[in-house]
């Protein structure tokens, strides 16, 4: 029995072996603290827990009874669950059978309903078959009656139309003809019927007869030039115009053409080419005449023509076309008599008249005319004189305070712009030549004024400021550009741009580059004697304060011209026709002003460089004041003979003096162009530091004390250079990082040169040092460790500490 139970237990364990996931789920659903419920239950450990000692075995019977009781309860629970599951299965099978029976019954009912619906549909079709036939018959009958009514109306209308045409009853014809035409459209698919085709031909014949008759009536009322006018506006002609609206559009166009031609016939006679009044100086009379004619037309014929014909505008437009041709003809004949003032006068009067037309008419009759494209205008910039608001106003009429105000809405384009004034475009070369001459005179006046007034003086409002002549130049440019854009946006704008380019270059050469001070050729190469004199108050040949001020003014002016020229180019591209935009290019002129800026900065750098050159040249020798033991008859001695480290050397003092003299002047005069002052500082540093390093190499041979003195001088110069952008200024401003990086890198290199020599130079320096030392005792080994090139660590540390103390004391 025990063997069977053991086998059953093994089989049960094999069956009930659950995966960790299932076991975890069971623990979450049925949490339990009983050790028997744990997945890793160990019977031995459990028994040891119940009976930890031999004495506890006395209660074994009670424990066994409890376990047997728990087993019986578990068996009862299992039995109940198993029996319950058996009943559930039986109930499920019974419910499934009942559901299948219900589905079969439902399917039978649906089939019955479908059969009944098919029978009902068949019954409805049989009932409505006769009704459909009646509907078709009614529809055909209605169409037949409608067609017969239209046919009756068409036949009667054609008869009435023919009768009214003969009686010239145009008022009734206008309404009837439109109705007949509308009715005839319904018979387009019946044109194969002879009667219908005959009626259509009679309508066309009546329309043709009406057109011929109406044209004859207008010819009679408004005869050709030279004959007496017997008729005039009448109600008959007014009704005839209404009929013409319904007829072929060519009839309407012919009426308009003949009337306008007859109405303007007097203009062609009065302003013939050989008449004195036809010349440009009396161009106002042309526009005065048409104004009177338009007023006369409105009074006499305004009600005769339909409003949608826009006859007043058509007369004005035809007048413009005739005037354009006649003016072009007379200007070709008398081209030599055209002067600038006369041309501008005629253009101004013409553009004023075109503006008047734009206020009076909409331009609706121009839509079918070629070449009437509107020119897009871009928003205007407010930064420079030629980029101010409203190109139609006179230059210089705006106030500075108005620039901050909101702009007015842009006026719509004038559809009549150029309708007459285009004829002046071939003769605008006179205007261009005049502007060429005027700009040449303006540049000459700038040159003369500069010579008469002299350069701007330091300490005055003009000192370092932008030259006023450049503002005058660009103000004049704006005036020319606006004026030319009103005359033409085509080739004349390209010609004017060429003139602008020419005088921008002349301004750069004659006013800016031509007035830059010449650098002194003898400022470099001064000897130590010159440096000694400089220490005593003598100054090296260099630019004076006024010349520095002039260079800064020219630099600022060139910068202003550069920025303004760029915006001038943008504005010209906005004004010119799109197909010509690529031909507007002022890059060369902007490069010219950039060159002036570079030359100005280079002059300032060269001047300060030249002032520092004598002091750098004196670096290879040191003043006797550093070594009192030397004779004053020989003011120079090599750096290897320096006996002690003192304050900074005289050449350093001289360099710092020149920097403090020049840099504040340059900075104050370039206050409005800070970036170019930074460029000046960078270029000077890039020029000075390599020169300084080069002169360091010329100071060889150098003793340890001499190297320390030069290291002190180098640190002093490094400090001054780092402070260069704000030296002498009450407002301390941090130098740009790019500039500081250059100074630190260059001067650190100079310091490293003084702290050690190349291996190739060590032998020669060691030999010189040995010659100056006393003979060492026999057996002793002095030598390389005492040389300048290889001092002991203790010596080097002591020397550097002393040098740092001197530097701190000086600072």
């Amino acid at each position: 029995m025990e063997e069977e139970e053991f086998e059953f237990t093994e089989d049960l364990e094999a069956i009930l072996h659950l995966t960790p996931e299932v076991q975890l789920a069971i623990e979450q659903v049925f949490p339990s603290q009983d050790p028997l419920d744990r997945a890793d239950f160990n019977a031995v450990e459990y028994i040891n827990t119940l009976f930890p000692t031999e004495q506890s075995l006395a209660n074994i019977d009670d424990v066994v009874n409890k376990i047997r009781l728990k087993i019986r309860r578990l068996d009862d629970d299992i039995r109940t669950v198993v029996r319950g599951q058996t009943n559930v299965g039986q109930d499920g099978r019974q419910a499934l059978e009942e559901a299948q029976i219900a589905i079969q019954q439902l399917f039978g009912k649906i089939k019955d309903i479908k059969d009944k619906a098919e029978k009902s549909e068949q019954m409805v079709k049989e009932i409505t078959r006769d009704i459909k036939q009646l509907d078709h018959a009614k529809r055909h009958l209605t169409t037949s009656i409608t067609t017969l009514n239209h046919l009756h109306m068409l036949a009667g209308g054609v008869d009435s139309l023919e009768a009214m045409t003969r009686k010239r009853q145009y008022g009734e014809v206008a309404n009837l003809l439109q109705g007949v035409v509308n009715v005839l459209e319904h018979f387009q698919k019946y044109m194969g019927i002879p009667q219908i085709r005959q009626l259509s031909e009679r309508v066309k014949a009546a329309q043709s007869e009406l057109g011929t008759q109406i044209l004859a009536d207008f010819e009679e009322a408004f005869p050709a030039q030279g004959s007496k006018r017997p008729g005039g506006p009448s109600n008959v002609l007014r009704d005839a115009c209404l009929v013409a609206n319904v007829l072929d559009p060519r009839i309407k166009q012919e009426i308009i053409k003949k009337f306008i031609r007859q109405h303007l016939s007097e203009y062609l006679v009065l302003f013939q080419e050989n008449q004195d009044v036809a010349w440009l100086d009396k161009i106002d009379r042309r526009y005065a005449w048409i104004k009177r004619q338009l007023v006369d037309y409105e009074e006499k014929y305004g009600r005769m023509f339909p409003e949608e014909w826009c006859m007043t505008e058509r007369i004005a437009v035809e007048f413009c076309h005739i005037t354009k041709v006649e003016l072009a003809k007379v200007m070709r004949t008398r081209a030599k008599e055209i002067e600038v003032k006369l041309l501008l006068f005629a253009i101004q009067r013409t553009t004023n008249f075109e503006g008047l037309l734009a206020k009076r008419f909409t331009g609706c009759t121009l839509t079918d005319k070629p070449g009437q494209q509107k020119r897009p205008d871009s928003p205007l910039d407010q930064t420079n004189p030629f980029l101010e608001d409203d190109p139609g106003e006179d230059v210089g009429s705006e106030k500075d305070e108005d620039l901050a105000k909101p702009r007015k809405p842009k006026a719509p384009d004038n559809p009549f712009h150029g309708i007459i004034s285009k004829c002046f475009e071939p003769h605008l070369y006179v205007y261009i030549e005049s502007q060429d001459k005027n700009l040449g005179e303006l540049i000459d006046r700038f040159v003369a004024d500069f010579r008469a007034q002299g350069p701007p003086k330091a300490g005055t409002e003009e000192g370092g400021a932008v030259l006023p002549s450049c503002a005058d130049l660009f103000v004049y440019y704006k005036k020319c550009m606006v004026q030319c854009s009103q005359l033409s946006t085509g080739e004349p704008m390209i010609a004017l741009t060429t003139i602008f380019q020419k005088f921008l270059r002349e301004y750069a050469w004659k006013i800016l580059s031509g007035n830059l001070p010449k650098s002194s050729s003898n400022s470099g190469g001064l000897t130590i004697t010159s440096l000694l004199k400089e220490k005593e108050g003598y100054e090296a040949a260099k630019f004076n304060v006024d010349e520095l001020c002039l260079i800064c003014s020219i630099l600022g002016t060139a910068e202003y011209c550069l920025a303004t020229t760029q915006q001038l180019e943008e504005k010209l591209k906005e004004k010119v026709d799109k197909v010509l935009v690529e031909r507007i290019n002022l890059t060369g002129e902007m490069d010219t002003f950039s060159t002036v800026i570079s030359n100005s900065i280079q002059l300032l750098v060269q001047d300060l460089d030249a002032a520092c050159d004598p002091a750098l040249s004196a670096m290879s020798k040191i003043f006797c004041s550093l070594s009192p033991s030397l004779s004053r008859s020989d003011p120079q001695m090599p750096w290897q003979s320096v006996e002690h480290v003192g304050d900074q050397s005289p050449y350093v003092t001289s360099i710092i003096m020149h920097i403090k003299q020049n840099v504040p002047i340059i900075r104050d005069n370039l206050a409005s162009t800070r970036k170019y002052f930074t460029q000046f500082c960078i270029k000077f540093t890039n020029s000075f530091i390599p020169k300084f390093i080069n002169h360091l190499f010329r100071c060889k041979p150098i003793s340890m004390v001499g190297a320390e003195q030069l290291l002190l001088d180098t640190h002093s110069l490094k400090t001054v250079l780092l402070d260069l952008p704000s030296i002498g200024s009450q407002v301390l401003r941090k130098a740009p990082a790019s500039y500081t990086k250059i100074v630190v890198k260059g001067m650190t290199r100079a310091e490293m040169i003084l702290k050690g020599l190349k291996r190739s130079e060590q032998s020669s320096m060691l030999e010189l040092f040995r010659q100056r030392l006393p003979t060492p005792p026999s057996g002793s080994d002095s030598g390389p460790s005492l040389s300048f090139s290889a001092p002991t660590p203790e010596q080097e540390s002591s020397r550097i500490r002393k040098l740092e103390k001197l530097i701190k004391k000086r600072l």
Side-chain angles (χ1 to χ4, degrees), residues 115 133-134 137 193 245 353 433 437 482 542 611 615 624 692:
D115 294 339
Q133 291 178 353
L134 291 175
I193 302 174
N245 273 334
F353 177 71
E433 291 175 355
K437 179 181 178 183
V482 170
K542 59 189 181 66
C624 61
F692 176 71

Side-chain angles (χ1 to χ4, degrees), residues 3-22:
E3 293 179 357
E4 292 178 355
E5 288 180 355
F6 182 75
E7 293 177 355
F8 174 77
T9 302
E10 290 182 348
D11 294 340
L12 183 62
E13 289 179 353
I15 295 173
L16 295 180
H17 181 69
L18 304 177
T19 62
E21 293 81 4
V22 176

